[in-house]
């Protein structure tokens, strides 16, 4: 953790009262929390770990954020940016105490420009709400993380969120042209462009995207949009073997059909959802693909016919096609129901997202099955088959001695297998605190030191979100 040892939490310090008074003056009495009960609500995210902050502030402008950061540099306390707190790697946790800075008040859609297919938004805008607003104008913002109904665009940018649509349309970074940010030293600057092209100087915008709130706080986002697809067709395809489903994925792409979405579920996830929603899926189902094609109606119909033919040739024993929007929504609810359905197992979940070349998905799934048997532990896999991004959920009973250790060993082996297959240990969730111990498995010392140097240039006092990504 770069410089983390220099910090002390505010609690217990003689300066605490003075700092709280100054923070209150910056954001207003109604926009700061200090009671234990209130702070507890901001001590966790989607990770099963808790770190209580010393205060929570809700600034209403870039200028207020700048003032908070200037104070943090003067008094040497940490500032942790937070959107909706839906991250899976602990990126918004106050691991060293300090002040959690929540961007929920910065929630305006400033502009949707239908002439230039662009938009300007603040970081507290909820992703799904923005998509709906954009679609009213016949436009489309493709990034669609599973948390889109509550995650914010600022958090999506900080983590470079993806989602099922990434196969055809790319991830968050592909739609951000510029940003207004507050540097850790308290300076407000605008980076990037509001045009479709721009190569003046280093691409600082791309550097901030995916930096997990360690280099700057985002206060404004400049986005590009695309025309909304005319129509879509959704298919649910059942297979008796994992290999058949994986070969179907490869053949679909090889046939130059690029679905808007191509999702995969293994037997474990199918069984959980089947129980959760009483769907009556066939007992012989070992793998399931959810496929959406979109675009020009005639082209989509042609592509859907190709996909159905390929899947049947590769061993699918059942193909369901949605006949209307409601049926399509219901099919996609099956995919979104996986995470809540896992709660039925009454086990602690470690949710990892890894990426391998899509042709290597069968190899990874087979290796995961071997690891599952080796440690006698539940592992459930699902995710974005089209781009090789698989969500691996290692489930264990935290009340059983040795179970947590087995889960950690299983994760380490899965990560190593992913790297052996030419993949990466994180596709969407970032590093945060949960994957930091594994960083050196993928990056060498020179790469990590260069990143630390960049962090020091932006944040010389290590004020902003310390204790994340790097160890040591």
């Amino acid at each position: 953790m770069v410089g983390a040892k220099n910090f002390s939490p505010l609690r217990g310090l003689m300066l605490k009262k003075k700092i709280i008074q100054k923070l209150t003056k910056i954001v207003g009495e109604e926009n700061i929390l200090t009671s234990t009960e209130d702070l507890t609500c901001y001590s966790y995210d989607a990770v099963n770990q808790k770190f209580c902050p010393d205060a929570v502030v809700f600034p209403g402008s870039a200028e207020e954020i700048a003032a908070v950061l200037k104070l943090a540099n003067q008094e040497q306390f940490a500032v942790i940016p937070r959107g909706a707190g839906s991250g899976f790697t602990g990126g918004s946790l106050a691991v060293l105490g300090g002040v959690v800075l929540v961007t929920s008040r910065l929630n305006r859609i400033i502009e949707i420009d239908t002439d230039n297919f662009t938009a300007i938004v603040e970081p507290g805008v909820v992703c799904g709400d923005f998509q709906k607003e954009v679609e009213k104008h016949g436009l489309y913002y493709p990034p669609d993380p599973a948390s889109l109904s509550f995650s914010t665009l600022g958090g999506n940018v900080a983590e470079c969120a993806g989602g099922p649509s990434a196969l055809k349309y790319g991830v968050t970074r592909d739609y951000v042209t510029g940003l207004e940010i507050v540097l850790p030293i308290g300076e407000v600057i605008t980076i990037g462009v509001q045009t479709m092209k721009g190569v003046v100087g280093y691409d600082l915008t791309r550097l901030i995207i995916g930096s997990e709130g360690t280099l700057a706080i985002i206060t404004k986002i400049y986005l590009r949009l695309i025309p909304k697809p005319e129509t879509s067709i959704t298919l649910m395809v059942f297979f008796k073997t994992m290999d058949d489903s994986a070969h179907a994925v490869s053949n679909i792409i090889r046939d130059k059909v690029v679905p808007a979405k191509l999702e995969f579920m293994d037997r474990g996830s199918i069984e959980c959802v089947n129980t959760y929603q009483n769907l009556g899926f066939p007992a012989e189902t070992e793998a399931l693909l959810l496929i959406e094609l979109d675009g020009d109606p005639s082209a989509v119909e042609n592509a859907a016919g190709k996909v159905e033919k390929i899947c049947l040739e590769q061993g699918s024993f059942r193909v369901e096609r949605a006949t209307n929007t409601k049926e399509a929504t219901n099919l996609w609810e099956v995919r979104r129901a996986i995470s809540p359905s896992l709660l039925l197992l009454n086990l602690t979940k470690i949710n990892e997202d890894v990426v391998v070349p899509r042709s290597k998905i069968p190899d990874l799934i087979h290796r995961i099955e071997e690891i599952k048997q080796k440690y006698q532990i539940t592992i459930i896999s699902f995710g974005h088959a089209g781009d090789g991004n698989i969500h691996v959920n290692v489930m264990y009973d935290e009340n059983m001695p040795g179970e947590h250790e087995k889960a950690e060993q299983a994760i380490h082996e899965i990560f190593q297998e992913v790297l052996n297959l030419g993949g990466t240990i994180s596709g969407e969730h970032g590093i945060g605190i949960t994957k930091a111990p594994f960083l050196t498995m993928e990056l060498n010392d020179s790469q990590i030191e260069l990143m630390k140097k960049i962090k020091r240039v932006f944040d010389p006092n290590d004020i902003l979100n310390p204790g994340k990504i790097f160890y040591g």
Side-chain angles (χ1 to χ4, degrees), residues 2 27 49 130 168 207 226 234 292 297 364 382 433:
V2 183
V27 301
Q49 297 187 42
F130 177 64
K168 182 175 182 178
L207 181 59
I226 61 175
T234 300
E292 181 176 296
L364 177 61
F382 59 91
I433 59 173

Side-chain angles (χ1 to χ4, degrees), residues 362-397:
D363 298 325
L364 177 61
I365 297 301
H366 288 315
R367 183 64 184 122
I368 288 174
E369 185 62 30
E370 292 173 2
I371 293 169
K372 174 181 174 181
Q373 297 302 324
K374 175 180 177 179
Y375 291 103
Q376 289 298 295
I377 197 167
T378 299
I379 303 177
I380 292 174
S381 303
F382 59 91
H384 319 311
D387 57 17
N389 186 187
I390 303 300
H391 295 277
V392 180
N393 294 263
V394 178
M395 317 287 292
Y396 69 96
D397 186 346

Side-chain angles (χ1 to χ4, degrees), residues 455-468:
K455 167 68 171 171
R456 286 192 285 268
V457 169
F458 274 80
D459 188 9
N461 293 316
D462 201 23
I463 293 300
L464 193 58
N465 215 7
K468 309 296 167 59

Side-chain angles (χ1 to χ4, degrees), residues 119 140-143 165 168-178 206 209 221-226:
Y140 186 41
Y141 177 71
S165 294
K168 182 175 182 178
Y169 293 108
V171 296
T172 298
R173 66 168 169 257
D174 299 307
Y175 296 88
V176 180
T177 63
R206 284 288 183 112
I209 299 168
I221 308 167
Y222 299 91
L223 297 168
R224 77 175 184 92
L225 308 171
I226 61 175

Side-chain angles (χ1 to χ4, degrees), residues 237-246 248-249 270 284-289 291 310-312 314-318:
V237 189
F238 299 78
F239 293 87
K240 292 183 180 180
T241 74
M242 186 68 60
D243 284 349
D244 286 347
S245 68
V249 170
I270 292 166
E284 65 267 34
T285 307
E286 289 288 336
L288 186 152
L289 296 180
I291 305 168
I310 289 169
C311 289
L312 291 170
Q314 289 301 318
S316 169
F317 65 92
R318 177 170 159 184

Side-chain angles (χ1 to χ4, degrees), residues 127 131 141-149 151-152 156 161-164 172 336 384 428:
C127 180
Q131 287 182 328
Y141 177 71
D144 57 344
S147 58
L148 65 84
S149 62
S151 67
T152 59
N156 291 173
T172 298
R336 297 195 187 281
H384 319 311
E428 302 177 317

